[in-house]
């Protein structure tokens, strides 16, 4: 019976460790899709984050199942199974309202160093020869470059005005003009036909209706019919009159000189250039110069305590909750330790105890001189999480 249990547990370990591939685990080939917009890129990033988070959760679940199976195997194979050591007096407060008991683990305490400053000779004292150059003084000399000359300053153009005058093209003349006759049109109304009476279809209820040949008819009076005619009447007979045609003129313009052109001149002074010449005052001479030695201060790290192993109180694995991991990640990110991990650069504050968070906490403990490799009570106090 015990052998059967071991076999079943061994198969479970192999299955959880991923050694036996399942047919359902074979991934289907992904269909490539073309990215056409920033929205598609955002969707791919969100999908990658979700897949990475699910992968970490599955890995933690697999590791937990594997640890449980190995614990059962160890308990069955050993005469006396070792129990996790708890300290009843190790209840040290709470984190977000949760009270923890301490597990004990043997961890590595990093070596301690002190910084010593030492003065080191960089360049020894030396003597060399320097040459003091000769001294000169500058002498100014004025040289004429261009003589004084008279040039045109500005030209005031001539002023003109435009004069307009009327010129007769065709003189005035007279001619006889025929004035047509004038007529008036009047409207005249004449009677075309006299009025009469006739029988016309009407309603039975109409006044004077009479049934004729199966149809009701009434006697209707048709009025007289008139017509309006237009009649043309002579008002003024045709006449002849004399008409004067005015003269035809045109405007002629011409330009008249008002003020002739004026030219003004200006005098340009002569140009000079000041030339600097050098006159030697003292001769060059050489001398011996001693340069002092140069030192630099160098900092060296001196080990004062070697790395050692010691037993420390740690948070048990079953108490490693998502809320506690998030509190640790927040402190690590604030201190500049925890950063997104490639290739997907997921969010670092996710409450998952992954390899990135574990390695970052170890680096934080090493820098602070704390025992590294687990979530110890002292690192929680250092972070201000545990009271």
């Amino acid at each position: 019976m015990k052998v059967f249990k071991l076999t079943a547990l061994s198969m479970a370990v192999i299955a959880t460790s991923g050694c036996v591939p399942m047919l359902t685990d074979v991934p289907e080939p992904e269909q490539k899709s073309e990215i056409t917009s920033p929205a598609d890129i955002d969707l791919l990033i969100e999908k990658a984050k979700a897949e990475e988070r699910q992968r970490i959760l599955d890995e933690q679940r697999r590791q937990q199942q594997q640890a449980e199976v190995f614990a059962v195997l160890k308990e069955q194979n050993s005469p006396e199974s070792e129990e996790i050591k708890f300290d009843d007096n190790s209840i040290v407060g709470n984190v977000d309202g949760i009270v923890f008991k301490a597990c004990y683990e043997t961890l590595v305490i990093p070596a301690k160093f002190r910084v010593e400053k030492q003065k080191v000779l960089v360049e020894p004292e030396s003597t060399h020869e320097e040459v003091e150059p000769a001294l000169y003084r500058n002498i100014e000399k004025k040289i004429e470059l261009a003589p004084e000359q008279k040039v045109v300053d500005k030209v005031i153009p001539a002023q003109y005005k435009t004069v307009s005058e009327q010129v007769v093209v065709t003189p005035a003349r007279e001619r006889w003009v025929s004035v047509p006759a004038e007529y008036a049109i009047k409207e005249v109304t004449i009677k075309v036909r006299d009025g009469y009476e006739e029988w016309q279809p009407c309603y039975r209820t109409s006044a004077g209706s009479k049934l004729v040949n199966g149809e009701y008819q009434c006697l209707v009076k048709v009025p007289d019919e008139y017509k309006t005619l237009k009649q043309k009447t002579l008002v003024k007979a045709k006449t002849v009159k004399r008409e004067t045609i005015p003269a035809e003129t045109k405007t002629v313009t011409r330009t008249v000189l008002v003020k002739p052109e004026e030219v003004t001149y200006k005098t340009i002074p002569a140009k000079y250039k000041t030339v600097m010449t050098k006159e030697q005052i003292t001769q060059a001479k050489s001398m011996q110069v001693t340069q002092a030695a140069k030192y630099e201060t160098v900092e060296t790290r001196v080990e004062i305590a070697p790395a050692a192993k010691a037993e420390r109180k740690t948070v048990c694995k079953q108490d490693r909750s998502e809320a506690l991991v998030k509190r640790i990640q927040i402190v690590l990110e604030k201190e500049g330790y925890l950063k997104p991990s490639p290739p997907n650069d997921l969010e670092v504050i996710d409450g998952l105890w992954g390899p990135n968070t574990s390695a970052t906490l170890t680096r934080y403990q090493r820098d602070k001189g704390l025992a590294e490799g687990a979530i110890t009570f002292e690192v929680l106090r250092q972070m201000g999480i545990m009271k």
Side-chain angles (χ1 to χ4, degrees):
M1 184 65 182
K2 186 173 182 180
V3 174
F4 175 77
K5 289 174 64 179
L6 288 173
T7 305
L9 291 172
S10 301
M11 292 299 294
V13 170
I14 295 172
T16 54
S17 60
C19 297
V20 180
M22 304 298 290
L23 293 177
T24 57
D25 294 337
V26 178
E28 297 182 357
E30 296 183 356
Q31 296 181 357
K32 296 183 178 180
S33 60
E34 185 178 357
I35 299 175
T36 59
S37 65
D40 295 337
I41 298 176
D42 294 339
L43 288 175
L44 290 177
I45 293 175
E46 293 299 327
K47 182 179 178 182
K49 290 182 179 180
E51 291 177 353
E52 182 67 12
R53 181 182 179 88
Q54 186 62 37
R55 185 191 67 76
I56 295 175
L57 290 173
D58 293 343
E59 179 65 19
Q60 288 185 345
R61 193 180 300 111
R62 186 189 67 78
Q63 291 179 1
Q64 184 177 0
Q65 292 175 356
Q66 184 177 1
E68 292 175 356
V69 172
F70 279 124
V72 174
L73 290 174
K74 185 177 181 180
E75 182 179 358
Q76 291 179 353
N77 293 331
S78 61
E80 295 182 359
S81 58
E82 296 182 359
E83 297 182 356
I84 300 175
K85 293 194 296 181
F86 288 98
D87 184 358
D88 293 336
N89 298 323
S90 63
I91 300 176
V92 293
N94 65 80
V95 176
D96 296 334
I98 300 175
V99 178
F100 291 92
K101 277 190 174 183
C103 289
Y104 286 93
E105 293 187 37
T106 301
L107 304 175
V108 176
I109 300 176
K112 295 183 179 179
F113 298 86
R114 73 167 179 267
V115 178
E116 292 184 354
K117 295 182 179 181
Q118 184 179 4
K119 197 172 183 181
V120 179
L121 177 64
V122 178
E123 186 177 338
E125 181 179 333
S126 60
T127 302
H128 63 277
E129 183 178 352
E130 288 187 359
V131 177
E132 184 178 348
L135 296 179
Y136 296 86
R137 66 178 178 182
N138 295 326
I139 300 176
E140 293 183 357
K141 186 177 181 181
K142 196 173 183 181
I143 302 174
E144 183 180 6
L145 299 179
E148 182 181 87
Q149 57 182 340
K150 187 178 181 181
V151 296
V152 176
D153 182 19
K154 61 181 177 178
V155 177
I156 302 176
Q159 296 180 6
Y160 298 87
K161 70 176 181 178
T162 302
V163 179
S164 300
E165 57 183 2
Q166 296 291 330
V167 178
V168 177
V169 178
T170 304
R173 66 185 185 276
E174 292 182 351
R175 68 177 177 179
W176 291 95
V177 179
S178 176
V179 179
E182 296 180 5
Y183 297 89
I185 298 176
K186 297 181 180 180
E187 292 185 354
V188 180
T189 303
I190 61 174
K191 181 187 290 187
V192 179
R193 187 174 58 182
D194 294 332
Y196 61 93
E197 292 182 350
E198 66 177 354
W199 292 93
Q200 294 182 1
C202 64
Y203 294 99
R204 182 175 58 85
T205 56
S206 300
S209 62
K210 184 178 180 181
L211 184 63
V212 179
N213 297 327
E215 183 180 8
Y216 286 96
Q217 294 185 358
C218 297
L219 185 62
V220 179
K221 186 176 181 180
V222 179
D224 298 338
E225 183 177 349
Y226 294 89
K227 184 177 182 181
T228 302
L229 300 176
K230 292 183 178 180
Q231 185 177 5
K232 188 175 182 181
T233 306
L234 178 64
V235 178
K236 188 177 180 180
K238 179 178 178 181
T239 59
V240 178
K241 68 176 182 178
R242 179 178 292 180
E243 185 181 68
T244 301
I245 301 174
E248 294 182 6
T249 61
K250 70 176 182 179
T251 303
V252 178
T253 59
R254 59 191 181 89
T255 304
V256 180
L257 178 63
V258 177
K259 187 177 181 181
E261 180 182 76
E262 294 182 6
V263 180
T264 59
Y265 298 90
K266 67 177 180 180
T267 300
I268 299 177
K271 293 183 179 180
Y272 296 90
K273 179 180 179 181
T274 301
V275 179
M276 304 296 294
T277 59
K278 290 185 178 182
E279 180 183 2
Q280 186 174 358
I281 302 174
T282 59
Q283 297 292 331
K285 58 182 179 180
S286 61
M287 62 182 69
Q288 295 292 327
V289 178
T290 301
Q291 185 174 358
K294 294 182 180 179
Y295 296 88
E296 286 185 0
T297 301
V298 180
E299 293 184 354
T300 57
R301 296 179 66 197
V302 179
E303 184 179 4
I304 58 176
K309 292 184 178 181
E311 197 174 58
R312 289 289 187 269
K313 295 179 181 181
T314 63
V315 176
C316 302
K317 291 183 179 180
Q318 61 269 22
D319 293 334
R320 193 186 296 163
S321 64
E322 181 179 351
L324 178 61
V325 174
K326 278 188 177 182
R327 292 286 298 275
I328 295 173
Q329 289 173 337
I330 290 172
V331 175
L332 292 176
E333 184 188 36
K334 185 178 180 181
E335 294 287 336
Y337 284 87
L338 189 58
K339 298 179 181 178
S341 58
N344 296 323
D345 291 340
L346 302 178
E347 296 291 336
V348 295
I349 310 300
D350 54 8
L352 300 178
W353 184 255
N356 187 30
T357 304
S358 176
T360 305
L361 179 63
T362 300
R363 185 158 50 90
Y364 175 86
Q365 291 170 323
R366 188 179 300 118
D367 292 345
K368 301 296 182 181
L370 305 176
E372 59 187 55
I375 304 176
T376 61
F377 283 7
E378 60 181 351
V379 76
L380 293 180
R381 294 190 186 96
Q382 174 73 26
M383 292 180 169
I385 298 176
M386 179 173 284
K387 301 179 180 179

